[in-house]
Amino acid sequence: MQKIEKITLSTNFPIGPVNVYLLYGKKITLIDAGVKTKQAWKELNEGLHKMGLTIFEIEQIVITHHHDDHIGLLEWILEIISVPVYAHKNTQTYLQDEDYMYWSHIFFKNLLYEFGLSNKAAREWSFLKSKRELLTNLRVTKELKEGDVIPNLPEWRIIETQGHSQDHISLYCAKDRILICGDHVIDDIHVGLFLDAPFPGEKRAKPLLQYINNLKKCLSFPVEITYSGHGTDIYDLESIVNAQLRRTEKRATRLKNTLSKGEKTGLDIIKDMYPDRYENLIVTFVLEITSLLDLLIERNEVIAKKRNGIYLYRLIE
Ligand SMILES: [Zn+2]
């Protein structure tokens, strides 16, 4: 049986604490790296200490995706130890490339404007969405893709699980039926989908369509225990996945009910569905509704038409 240990690190995010894992393969491997706070740093060091380890014993790192609650301490760790880092091929660009950050700003500005936000609001929100502290000392040693065996963990393969982000990977051990799934599946929590800007010249992803396919993909492997990026260990992956799919269908039905009152811009859909909640979280809701609309358009239940640069959505009778 694979030896795996979990360290839970506090965050200041609404989702609560984040889990990082230690895998004892041919090399001691850290999976993910919490948030960049002194508290999380202290908790990571204390967690390692309890296992009889220190930061210096970590021999390699795998990152499940580039979100701040999974890469936060990477910079501080890499300042102390120089070890290989493995991640999806997009991760380094998302974390490090200033041109991508600028491109992302333009992409979201257009997306938000087409969704019905004013020019000024689209510019301000897209700036906030794209801006990040670049992680200058990260060098992804090897990019991991679907089916790759993880270096020094010969029993572990990569399963690409895009949806929550466009660089999301999970780790699977067939022999012991273990899945380490990052934020792909979280017990009892609706997993949000965060659209990432495509690279110049490429089309944007449809994260909900990817996400549903990748949820089903994970059910096609035998899994006895799933270690998630947040919350408790999962012993019944199928019921957790089905609950997530049911929540998605419920939201899609609510969206269709909103459109049954007539044609609407994306912003009008949000105002109708979340009248008291949307203002401070507008980007989160835009991404949620965009991905639901992708699904309903794919199913031929909704049609989008552009008028004066802004999309109008209506139900197909
Ligand atoms: Zn997370």
Side-chain angles (χ1 to χ4, degrees), residues 11-286:
T11 78
N12 40 10
F13 288 26
I15 195 158
V18 62
N19 301 320
V20 305
Y21 296 92
L22 285 164
L23 274 184
Y24 294 76
K26 286 185 186 163
K27 291 197 170 170
I28 296 179
T29 308
L30 175 71
I31 317 288
D32 283 347
V35 291
K36 195 179 182 182
T37 62
K38 283 187 182 151
Q39 180 64 22
W41 180 245
K42 185 170 159 261
E43 289 165 357
L44 175 66
N45 281 285
E46 284 170 357
L48 289 168
H49 191 72
K50 271 188 204 150
M51 290 156 204
L53 300 172
T54 68
I55 290 282
F56 293 98
E57 268 78 44
I58 295 172
E59 294 174 287
Q60 56 179 23
I61 301 171
V62 178
I63 296 296
T64 62
H65 64 296
H66 72 286
H67 289 168
D68 288 343
D69 52 337
H70 297 260
I71 58 98
L73 294 173
L74 202 49
E75 190 173 7
W76 292 348
I77 296 171
L78 294 175
E79 274 171 15
I80 298 178
I81 52 169
S82 171
V83 296
V85 177
Y86 306 116
H88 183 272
K89 70 173 162 52
N90 292 354
T91 307
Q92 182 151 339
T93 304
Y94 292 164
L95 291 175
Q96 222 177 37
D97 189 329
E98 208 163 346
D99 290 343
Y100 176 79
M101 197 165 73
Y102 177 71
W103 168 252
S104 176
H105 171 49
I106 306 284
F107 169 79
F108 283 108
K109 192 178 76 163
N110 290 335
L111 183 107
L112 294 170
Y113 182 76
E114 288 170 348
F115 214 71
L117 274 75
S118 72
N119 237 321
K120 183 171 176 280
R123 197 172 53 243
E124 286 169 4
W125 282 110
S126 65
F127 180 71
L128 288 176
K129 160 81 181 144
S130 315
K131 192 179 76 167
R132 68 170 312 130
E133 191 189 331
L134 296 175
L135 222 167
T136 48
N137 70 348
L138 170 70
R139 297 281 170 274
V140 171
T141 315
K142 184 179 187 311
E143 297 170 348
L144 297 175
K145 60 176 190 311
E146 182 80 18
D148 280 355
V149 175
I150 303 164
N152 303 303
L153 298 172
E155 282 158 357
W156 290 84
R157 284 181 184 274
I158 292 298
I159 303 175
E160 289 191 15
T161 42
Q162 283 101 335
H164 179 68
S165 74
Q166 289 305 308
D167 64 338
H168 200 291
I169 53 172
S170 298
L171 295 75
Y172 179 61
C173 172
K175 185 174 145 273
D176 293 335
R177 304 181 171 195
I178 304 169
L179 183 67
I180 298 178
C181 73
D183 286 1
H184 184 52
V185 186
I186 304 172
D187 189 7
D188 223 16
I189 286 179
H190 176 78
V191 171
L193 304 179
F194 298 84
L195 181 61
D196 299 304
F199 296 124
E202 289 180 8
K203 274 193 175 162
R204 77 162 172 86
K206 294 180 177 170
L208 183 55
L209 303 182
Q210 292 174 314
Y211 186 60
I212 291 171
N213 284 336
N214 288 330
L215 284 177
K216 290 176 181 166
K217 179 165 75 176
C218 286
L219 290 186
S220 70
F221 306 110
V223 175
E224 271 170 29
I225 181 161
T226 302
Y227 294 106
S228 174
H230 301 271
T232 55
D233 307 340
I234 294 167
Y235 292 92
D236 185 0
L237 183 63
E238 191 169 353
S239 73
I240 302 293
V241 165
N242 287 334
Q244 176 76 22
L245 291 171
R246 273 198 304 277
R247 283 193 290 265
T248 299
E249 289 305 325
K250 237 178 170 171
R251 285 170 193 231
T253 304
R254 276 186 67 199
L255 203 163
K256 283 197 290 181
N257 288 340
T258 295
L259 286 179
S260 68
K261 299 171 203 162
E263 193 175 57
K264 282 185 164 46
T265 67
L267 184 61
D268 288 337
I269 294 172
I270 292 175
K271 285 181 179 171
D272 196 84
M273 285 175 74
Y274 308 100
D276 316 316
R277 290 171 54 200
Y278 75 91
E279 283 201 32
N280 295 324
L281 293 166
I282 189 80
V283 176
T284 308
F285 286 118
V286 169

